[in-house]
Amino acid sequence: MSSVMNAQLIDRSVAESYATWFKALSDRTRVQILNLLALATGPMSVGEIVERVGVGQSTVSHHLKLLADVRFVRRERRGTSMLYSINVACVACFPSAADAVMGRPAASV
């Protein structure tokens, strides 16, 4: 007898999106950057993030690109600077993704 509850299996495209999100959060520096941006009172430059996270500029830039690719952060050009902020709408979906993977009802992607 199967112990599977009446939860629906998530389809492959949704599973792929969720896997991309989980992968983006699989690095401690990216988690720190997200936390920093979530706590910030406004957008931050790469230089400001480097000062707070304590890793090199190229490393921070690389992680910000990955986080922007999955839409966890927003990029905004101001003059010659690029500013980064948390994408609250996207990050808010993450707990639902974890629930869906665990077979609990979740909002769709």
Side-chain angles (χ1 to χ4, degrees), residues 31-61:
V31 170
Q32 281 186 300
I33 290 170
L34 275 179
N35 177 245
L36 175 62
L37 292 174
L39 297 173
T41 58
M44 297 180 74
S45 69
V46 172
E48 292 170 317
I49 297 168
V50 166
E51 288 176 17
R52 298 288 301 275
V53 176
V55 296
Q57 183 272 328
S58 61
T59 301
V60 168
S61 292

Side-chain angles (χ1 to χ4, degrees), residues 85-98:
S85 60
I86 195 85
N87 182 353
V88 176
C90 187
V91 174
C93 292
F94 191 74
S96 295

Side-chain angles (χ1 to χ4, degrees), residues 2-45:
S2 175
S3 63
V4 177
M5 298 173 14
N6 290 331
Q8 283 196 322
L9 183 65
I10 55 178
D11 68 39
R12 300 242 350 129
S13 65
V14 171
E16 183 175 346
S17 293
Y18 291 171
T20 301
W21 292 356
F22 289 124
K23 183 176 180 182
L25 294 176
S26 69
D27 182 273
R28 65 181 179 210
T29 301
R30 289 192 289 271
V31 170
Q32 281 186 300
I33 290 170
L34 275 179
N35 177 245
L36 175 62
L37 292 174
L39 297 173
T41 58
M44 297 180 74
S45 69

